[in-house]
Amino acid sequence: SIPINQPTISREKTMSDDQETKPAETPKVEEEPKKEEEDKVKEEESTATFEPVVKLDEVEVKSGEEDEETLCTYRSKLFIYGETLLDKGTGNKTWRERGIGEARILRHREHQRIRFLMRQEKTMKVIANHALDPRITLEPNAGSDRSWVWSAYDFADGELEEKVFALRFANSDIATEFKETYEKYQKEMESLLAGEDKADESGEADEAAEALSGLKTADEE
């Protein structure tokens, strides 16, 4: 008999139904640190304290105004006429801003002398400081009805210097009020200085009388 060749069945690997429907496994994500571990880390944080190498003692700073009373105050802008640092010695003078602040008139509680004082509002640096000399005259600034110009022997920079100032206010009404107030206290200062001069003259006369009396006594002896 003739042998019959039977068909061969291919046994290639195929994906089963379970494998087709089963989702692919995703990589595992590392778990977040547990709360206990976080607390432990916090406990291990540095709590060291460091002492300063140099200890600074608190020092009371005096302004030099402790024995004075403020008679008036006006917010304004101060200008000064003179040479700049670049023009020093050239004789070239210009107006430059000195600062914004409160222009004040102060009276000393003990000897009653009156002065003009102004500080730069941000740094508190003294930018004008002079006595209300009765000889000072406030002149109107050219082209402005809200500012005054005057010259005075000023001590703001630590030594007595003759300076020319201009003070500008918010409006003409405030400028007029300042001038009236300034001149009022100038008259008060004038009366005070006149009284001091009389007192000095009287003291000198008494000393002279005592000296003459002593001479007479010596002559009599």
Side-chain angles (χ1 to χ4, degrees):
S1 63
I2 299 172
I4 299 173
N5 295 329
Q6 307 226 350
T8 58
I9 299 173
S10 172
R11 297 185 175 273
E12 295 178 357
K13 292 181 180 180
T14 58
M15 183 179 291
S16 64
D17 293 338
D18 291 338
Q19 289 176 321
E20 291 179 359
T21 56
K22 187 176 180 180
E25 294 185 0
T26 56
K28 292 184 179 180
V29 178
E30 294 183 3
E31 296 181 359
E32 296 181 357
K34 295 180 180 179
K35 190 175 184 303
E36 294 181 359
E37 293 179 357
E38 291 179 354
D39 295 339
K40 186 177 180 181
V41 171
K42 290 180 181 178
E43 291 176 0
E44 292 177 353
E45 290 180 356
S46 175
T47 56
T49 56
F50 299 92
E51 293 293 331
V53 177
V54 179
K55 291 185 178 181
L56 299 177
D57 297 329
E58 185 175 349
V59 178
E60 182 182 358
V61 179
K62 293 186 177 182
S63 65
E65 305 168 29
E66 290 76 16
D67 297 327
E68 296 173 295
E69 61 176 323
T70 300
L71 302 175
C72 60
T73 178
Y74 295 89
R75 180 173 172 78
S76 50
K77 181 182 291 187
L78 185 71
F79 297 84
I80 187 170
Y81 185 75
E83 297 175 344
T84 64
L85 292 176
L86 296 176
D87 294 328
K88 200 74 174 176
T90 64
N92 184 21
K93 298 181 179 181
T94 56
W95 283 108
R96 65 183 188 278
E97 183 179 329
R98 196 77 192 269
I100 298 173
E102 298 292 334
R104 294 181 294 153
I105 295 177
L106 309 175
R107 180 198 285 129
H108 198 281
R109 293 186 178 91
E110 184 178 347
H111 53 62
Q112 299 298 304
R113 291 198 175 189
I114 305 170
R115 66 169 171 158
F116 175 86
L117 180 70
M118 187 170 179
R119 293 179 182 271
Q120 210 278 345
E121 64 180 359
K122 292 182 179 179
T123 63
M124 299 306 293
K125 177 184 177 182
V126 176
I127 54 178
N129 177 24
H130 55 266
L132 253 68
D133 191 326
R135 296 169 295 179
I136 294 174
T137 303
L138 301 184
E139 300 287 350
N141 192 11
S144 176
D145 61 352
R146 59 189 181 100
S147 62
W148 302 105
V149 177
W150 74 94
S151 62
Y153 285 98
D154 192 82
F155 199 73
D157 296 326
E159 58 183 34
L160 204 60
E161 295 180 71
E162 186 175 10
K163 296 178 182 177
V164 179
F165 296 107
L167 197 61
R168 182 191 297 167
F169 301 90
N171 54 58
S172 59
D173 292 336
I174 298 176
T176 301
E177 182 184 335
F178 171 80
K179 186 175 188 293
E180 293 172 352
T181 305
Y182 191 97
E183 291 176 344
K184 180 182 77 170
Y185 288 116
Q186 270 186 305
K187 291 178 181 178
E188 186 176 322
M189 187 69 166
E190 185 176 15
S191 300
L192 179 66
L193 294 175
E196 289 180 354
D197 290 341
K198 288 181 180 178
D200 290 341
E201 290 173 2
S202 175
E204 290 175 0
D206 292 340
E207 289 176 3
E210 288 178 6
L212 289 172
S213 176
L215 289 173
K216 288 178 181 178
T217 304
D219 290 341
E220 290 173 358
E221 292 176 353

